[in-house]
Amino acid sequence: MDLGMIGLGRMGGSMARRLIRARHRVVGYAPRPESVRALVADGALGADSLAALAAQLPPPRHVWMMIPAGEAVDEALAGLRPHLSPGDLLVDGGNSNYRDSQRRGAELARAGVELVDAGVSGGIWGLDNGYGLMVGGTTEAVERLRPVLEALAPAPDRGWAHLGPLGAGHFAKMVHNGIEYGMMQALGEGFALLAAKEEFGYDLAHVAEAWRDGTVIRSWLMDLAAAALADNPSLEGLAAWVEDSGEGRWTAHEAIDLGVPAPVITQALFARFRSRLPRNFADRLIASLRAQFGGHAVQREPREE
């Protein structure tokens, strides 16, 4: 199958390479020429513009975008739309908000172009292991993409699913990432508790390795924790700053709008916010209040010279 790929970062590039291995014809475009050259060296065709990418694809065209959510997607669509024809099919494989996907789909439909939203999980490891794919769109559009979806997934019959109409894929990926927040927070807190129990002198990498097989909490995240702790047991040199991509926030908003309790996901999101506060005002105010009502001692920050 011929497929255009827009966005050749770590994820998009590895996805394109998996498709090349499966003998699909891939035409790649990215703003950075070196990313295109690297993919061409692996067997793809390269394009130096969106127009050139569209020109190298036989109609009806199939184009997969792996672009950061937000304005970048709208900009790519604006640049690509003049070169598309009725019957062409676009896939947004980034972490777009599902409402944006629905809006974009309606706009493209007026030009006879169809949009499919595909939540993608697996990171750069997906090149060898396959990707988890959560797909939204019409049945006809998803069937057209089946050869690509089966090639990207861990196996043709598992690891991917058509979940519903346009928007369903990105909504499911949003919730998936919210769950991921909670799982990572639980792992972080659990290992912090082990590290604090000096009496037993735990080798954290050894514990993680033991938990990887046969236990209820075995998972890919546990595999990654074991690898990280084996490489750097004390996590020396790493700042306690945890970024969020936005999907945890969207998950919390949806939970509020739908009246669905999601305390673990929400607290995991707030923990990330807390990690980025060098001088936490709330904690300093609490310390001050304890001094006010109980005369409890407070610790003073060292003065800067």
Side-chain angles (χ1 to χ4, degrees):
M1 183 174 179
D2 295 285
L3 185 76
M5 180 69 76
I6 300 175
L8 302 175
R10 296 181 70 186
M11 184 79 128
S14 64
M15 290 175 65
R17 288 175 176 85
R18 185 171 174 89
L19 290 171
I20 293 168
R21 289 182 183 179
R23 302 189 180 281
H24 289 277
R25 179 177 177 268
V26 177
V27 181
Y29 167 74
R32 297 177 57 185
E34 57 269 27
S35 298
V36 178
R37 288 194 294 268
L39 191 63
V40 169
D42 286 333
L45 299 175
D48 59 7
S49 67
L50 293 173
L53 179 137
Q56 294 185 70
L57 294 170
R61 301 173 184 86
H62 301 83
V63 180
W64 192 300
M65 301 179 295
M66 289 302 294
I67 304 172
E71 293 181 3
V73 178
D74 290 311
E75 291 171 0
L77 289 175
L80 187 62
R81 195 172 299 146
H83 311 293
L84 299 176
S85 305
D88 289 349
L89 177 61
L90 301 183
V91 183
D92 183 356
N95 286 334
S96 291
N97 187 292
Y98 78 98
R99 296 184 189 275
D100 287 335
S101 299
Q102 292 173 326
R103 169 182 58 80
R104 292 165 182 148
E107 293 169 355
L108 289 167
R110 289 194 282 270
V113 177
E114 191 158 6
L115 180 67
V116 166
D117 61 313
V120 182
S121 182
I124 58 173
W125 300 86
L127 176 59
D128 295 318
N129 300 334
Y131 299 89
L133 303 166
M134 295 146 264
V135 185
T138 66
T139 299
E140 294 77 15
V142 175
E143 282 303 309
R144 281 174 59 181
L145 289 169
R146 178 179 287 273
V148 169
L149 298 172
E150 291 181 345
L152 288 172
D157 60 346
R158 60 183 175 86
W160 74 276
H162 180 200
L163 300 177
L166 182 65
H170 280 153
F171 188 90
K173 180 57 164 45
M174 175 195 74
V175 176
H176 164 283
N177 281 23
I179 294 170
E180 178 187 300
Y181 277 40
M183 292 173 68
M184 286 194 287
Q185 185 66 29
L187 286 173
E189 292 176 8
F191 279 99
L193 186 57
L194 290 171
K197 192 63 173 176
E198 297 179 357
E199 173 187 352
F200 295 135
Y202 286 116
D203 179 336
L204 299 184
H206 189 56
V207 174
E209 196 64 40
W211 283 351
R212 288 182 59 204
D213 296 293
T215 71
V216 173
I217 59 172
R218 65 187 182 275
S219 64
W220 185 45
L221 288 175
M222 186 63 73
D223 295 343
L224 296 177
L229 291 167
D231 181 61
N232 186 356
S234 65
L235 304 181
E236 188 67 31
L238 292 177
W241 176 291
V242 186
E243 195 55 81
D244 72 284
S245 63
E247 293 214 312
R249 302 185 189 210
W250 300 341
T251 307
H253 291 160
E254 289 292 332
I256 293 169
D257 289 344
L258 296 171
V260 175
V264 172
I265 293 173
T266 305
Q267 287 301 320
L269 173 65
F270 289 165
R272 293 192 178 199
F273 295 163
R274 188 187 186 96
S275 77
R276 304 197 292 266
L277 296 176
R279 299 177 68 240
N280 190 312
F281 186 91
D283 288 345
R284 287 185 289 139
L285 179 59
I286 292 168
S288 177
L289 289 173
R290 292 184 76 248
Q292 290 286 337
F293 69 67
H296 301 288
V298 297
Q299 296 187 23
R300 300 290 179 182
E301 293 181 336
R303 292 183 179 180
E304 295 183 0
E305 297 295 332

